[in-house]
Amino acid sequence: MCSDFSRSLTLLRKEKGISQRSAAKDLGISQALLSHYENGIREPGLAFVVKACDYYGVSADYLLGRTLSRDGTTIVDAESLYDYSAEKDNVLRGSIMATLSKKLLVNSVGILFDLLGKVGSKEAIKACSDYLGTALYKMFRYLYRADGTNNEDFFAVPARQFITGTATIDMTCAEVAYVDALAARVKEAGSLPPINHDVLTQTYPGAYQSLLQIVHNTGERITRRLIAYRTESK
């Protein structure tokens, strides 16, 4: 059984805030056997998987690392997911800047998630996805509501809560979860796959230029804003 299972089993118990002994008792097995499951030494039977899913309130797909959604729902599998970037003549109508910006982001996000896949932390992948997803949600919703004529009822978050920062709070929580997940993975694995300029250049010879451009542009923008803030504060 994949290592995601043992990792998920351990993290769900810790998230629940209970000891291995208590969890083993509730699940009807010995602490030693649960320890073997959590450390990937032994593989459980189907009956235990079902019991663990009920106990922690998650789906079997989530426990086995097949989905990031705890209830097992997903829009579509990864292989069938529509990839807009793969289309020929993929140019956004009316704006060269929009096309360039999109390509920089698509290439860079691709590198980021490829690296996270190599890191092997499902929690970090989910937290990163949550953070970026909420950022996209915010930008789209601000655009959607800009002229004040569109009905926002199809958004689950009421407008008054959105404009008072709930999405930003969600991003902050995702960022904390991301940092914690990476720290936990380093503690578990001892180290992460090498991530440096030479490795990235060799592994992503084309797309890495996009990431470098974003790193440069972002650094320059933040520096300008810091200088402007300090000047205004004097």
Side-chain angles (χ1 to χ4, degrees):
M1 189 170 293
C2 66
S3 60
D4 281 338
F5 171 79
S6 56
R7 188 180 303 118
S8 296
L9 192 65
T10 303
L11 291 172
L12 285 168
R13 176 179 59 78
K14 292 180 178 180
E15 184 181 272
K16 198 176 179 71
I18 58 175
S19 66
Q20 200 174 66
R21 177 179 296 181
S22 296
K25 181 179 179 181
D26 292 341
L27 291 167
I29 61 174
S30 68
Q31 182 180 350
L33 183 55
L34 180 58
S35 176
H36 286 167
Y37 290 163
E38 290 189 354
N39 288 297
I41 299 173
R42 292 186 58 181
E43 293 185 359
L46 180 60
F48 176 81
V49 173
V50 172
K51 186 176 291 186
C53 288
D54 291 340
Y55 183 63
Y56 291 117
V58 298
S59 70
D61 278 340
Y62 180 84
L63 193 58
L64 295 172
R66 291 167 52 85
T67 178
L68 297 176
S69 175
R70 294 192 175 218
D71 62 6
T73 58
T74 183
I75 297 175
V76 67
D77 62 274
E79 288 74 20
S80 301
L81 192 63
Y82 176 66
D83 185 2
Y84 180 76
S85 64
E87 286 192 356
K88 292 183 179 179
D89 301 322
N90 181 19
V91 177
L92 302 181
R93 293 180 175 83
S95 175
I96 295 176
M97 180 174 289
T99 299
L100 175 60
S101 298
K102 183 264 303 182
K103 287 185 176 180
L104 288 175
L105 288 170
V106 168
N107 291 341
S108 299
V109 169
I111 292 175
L112 177 60
F113 279 103
D114 190 64
L115 291 171
L116 286 173
K118 294 176 182 177
V119 167
S121 171
K122 181 176 67 176
E123 294 71 30
I125 293 172
K126 183 181 184 303
C128 183
S129 178
D130 288 346
Y131 182 92
L132 295 175
T134 304
L136 180 60
Y137 171 94
K138 286 178 63 178
M139 296 301 100
F140 170 72
R141 188 160 183 181
Y142 281 127
L143 176 63
Y144 180 88
R145 70 193 313 269
D147 66 3
T149 61
N150 288 326
N151 189 325
E152 296 184 61
D153 288 347
F154 83 91
F155 290 102
V157 179
R160 66 181 180 278
Q161 295 180 7
F162 171 70
I163 62 176
T164 53
T166 51
T168 302
I169 293 172
D170 180 69
M171 290 177 68
T172 300
C173 291
E175 188 174 0
V176 172
Y178 182 67
V179 173
D180 286 347
L182 290 176
R185 185 59 180 151
V186 170
K187 184 176 180 180
E188 177 186 12
S191 63
L192 300 182
I195 301 175
N196 56 57
H197 179 74
D198 291 338
V199 170
L200 294 174
T201 300
Q202 182 177 3
T203 308
Y204 314 100
Y208 183 43
Q209 295 302 314
S210 296
L211 181 57
L212 283 177
Q213 189 66 48
I214 285 182
V215 169
H216 173 76
N217 291 348
T218 303
E220 291 289 311
R221 184 174 64 252
I222 291 174
T223 299
R224 287 196 304 269
R225 287 177 175 170
L226 285 173
I227 293 174
Y229 172 77
R230 291 166 181 165
T231 302
E232 293 174 357
S233 300
K234 291 181 180 179

